[in-house]
Amino acid sequence: MKQLLFILLITFTLSSCEKDDICDPATSTTPSLVIQFYDADSPNNVQTVTNLKVIAPGFTNAVSGTSGVSKITIPLKTSGDSTSFEFIENGGDADTTDDNTDVLQFTYTRKNIYVSRACGYKVNFDLTNTNTNILTADTDNWIQSIVIAQPNIETENETHIKIYF
């Protein structure tokens, strides 16, 4: 009788265990905005930006800062419906005298999507703005124009924004 109780106790104890929930690294998460740069004079030609620095206003650490880049990915805020960034041409070097800053604001709607218990939620974005009013005008914009190539931001496999300079 004691053996039967012991076996039942062990069976109930082991059957109540759950496997660990671990989010697979290959699982799709909140995508970043993919931006590619193009030559304004030859719109089909991808262009490299020299010493590009991208920073969120009010911060000192760059979101992206590289030399000789033609495509970048930057995160959008998941807690708001717009995100602003300063795109600084020649901002990635020590010489600040030739920096040229253009401010871009991206407006969007957010879609919270349940992934799994282990991974939680991810956010997809839908760019709602047109090509006007996303570039803050100043006297020497290095960015000539902006085109929304793909308004639905669900993956990082495609270019969402094309910037011509």
Side-chain angles (χ1 to χ4, degrees):
M1 184 68 168
K2 287 184 181 182
Q3 288 179 342
L4 181 60
L5 287 173
F6 181 72
I7 291 173
L8 286 174
L9 179 65
I10 294 294
T11 303
F12 286 121
T13 303
L14 293 177
S15 67
S16 65
C17 293
E18 293 182 29
K19 67 176 190 150
D20 289 338
D21 277 342
I22 299 173
C23 186
D24 184 0
T27 302
S28 175
T29 58
T30 298
S32 292
L33 179 67
V34 178
I35 299 173
Q36 189 151 25
F37 299 92
Y38 290 86
D39 186 347
D41 296 326
S42 301
N44 293 326
N45 294 339
V46 174
Q47 181 82 9
T48 300
V49 182
T50 305
N51 293 322
L52 175 68
K53 182 177 183 181
V54 180
I55 191 166
F59 290 87
T60 55
N61 293 334
V63 174
S64 177
T66 56
S67 178
V69 65
S70 61
K71 184 184 271 191
I72 61 170
T73 58
I74 55 176
L76 296 175
K77 289 182 187 175
T78 58
S79 60
D81 292 330
S82 69
T83 303
S84 294
F85 290 102
E86 295 174 356
F87 285 73
I88 307 169
E89 183 183 38
N90 298 318
D93 59 10
D95 180 15
T96 59
T97 60
D98 61 349
D99 290 3
N100 188 346
T101 302
D102 289 348
V103 178
L104 289 143
Q105 180 175 4
F106 302 102
T107 308
Y108 45 84
T109 56
R110 296 167 285 142
K111 299 177 207 166
N112 293 322
I113 299 169
Y114 181 75
V115 177
S116 69
R117 187 171 78 181
C119 298
Y121 287 85
K122 72 175 187 172
V123 179
N124 285 346
F125 305 96
D126 188 16
L127 294 171
T128 56
N129 54 1
T130 62
N131 292 333
T132 58
N133 298 324
I134 57 176
L135 177 63
T136 302
D138 62 25
T139 57
D140 62 342
N141 284 346
W142 67 273
I143 296 174
Q144 302 296 311
S145 64
I146 300 148
V147 173
I148 299 173
Q150 174 53 265
N152 299 319
I153 303 170
E154 298 175 356
T155 69
E156 294 177 6
N157 298 333
E158 57 196 348
T159 299
H160 304 116
I161 299 285
K162 293 181 179 182
I163 293 180
Y164 295 90
F165 70 101

